[in-house]
Amino acid sequence: MFRLRAQKNILEVLEKEPLTSGSFNVYDVAFEFSSAWDGLEKTAVFRAGTVSRAVHLDDGGRGRIPWEALQASGVWLYAGVCGRLGGELILPTIWASLGIILEGTPLMSGGDEGGIFDHRKLSHRDAEKQHPISAIDGLEMALSEIPTPMTADQLRKILMNGGK
């Protein structure tokens, strides 16, 4: 459980726990508010990297961290609160750090222990050299059999000599 206190525009983290990527509906958040927030409609905003999601808080100042903000690992998760009155933004807090999102265990496809990893769930999938040629049996030999492309000069020479 995450517990935070909003003292006017300052948001203080009172209690937190480790966060893992891929989590869904597991992190509850409870906010306490100073009297500066009396009568305001309260909305929490969670930001991780370029993803931001707003959550309307119930009358007790409770909500849940949205799963969309927990998809990427290795980024910091921040929380903020906005108070509204009659549709006008009245009081925003500064951002408070809830911690770095740690890499969660990827799901397995197949539904059993002998299943195959679902590589779409892994982080750093776009990393350079993520699938070296040597990892695939026979690929290096097959690639070596592909003829090298002709240069423009070689092609010109063939065309000028009528294919001879």
Side-chain angles (χ1 to χ4, degrees):
M1 159 90 66
F2 287 84
R3 285 185 38 239
L4 297 100
R5 178 183 312 144
Q7 181 71 30
K8 198 170 183 178
N9 63 350
I10 303 295
L11 187 59
E12 177 185 9
V13 178
L14 304 175
E15 186 179 329
K16 63 183 181 176
E17 60 183 297
L19 297 155
T20 54
S21 62
S23 296
F24 184 81
N25 283 341
V26 294
Y27 298 113
D28 292 321
V29 183
F31 291 86
E32 300 171 10
F33 294 94
S34 68
S35 60
W37 290 81
D38 290 350
L40 298 180
E41 179 184 335
K42 301 160 187 88
T43 301
V45 180
F46 298 91
R47 182 186 79 199
T50 60
V51 176
S52 293
R53 291 293 183 269
V55 174
H56 181 74
L57 300 176
D58 66 18
D59 291 337
R62 294 182 176 270
R64 188 165 280 158
I65 297 174
W67 66 269
E68 296 95 335
L70 297 167
Q71 293 309 296
S73 63
V75 295
W76 291 86
L77 179 65
Y78 295 92
V81 183
C82 296
R84 293 183 177 271
L85 182 62
E88 302 258 341
L89 177 62
I90 302 296
L91 183 58
T93 66
I94 60 172
W95 291 104
S97 175
L98 300 183
I100 194 164
I101 301 171
L102 305 170
E103 184 172 5
T105 304
L107 293 176
M108 302 280 282
S109 63
D112 63 20
E113 292 179 33
I116 300 167
F117 274 111
D118 184 349
H119 294 281
R120 294 171 298 174
K121 302 290 184 186
L122 296 174
S123 66
H124 308 296
R125 285 181 1 113
D126 298 330
E128 188 178 335
K129 297 182 182 176
Q130 66 176 338
H131 298 293
I133 291 174
S134 60
I136 302 171
D137 292 337
L139 180 59
E140 199 163 4
M141 185 186 317
L143 290 174
S144 70
E145 294 174 4
I146 297 173
T148 57
M150 276 189 232
T151 66
D153 286 338
Q154 290 171 326
L155 182 59
R156 238 184 255 112
K157 196 180 276 186
I158 290 171
L159 293 173
M160 293 193 64
N161 292 330
K164 297 179 185 178

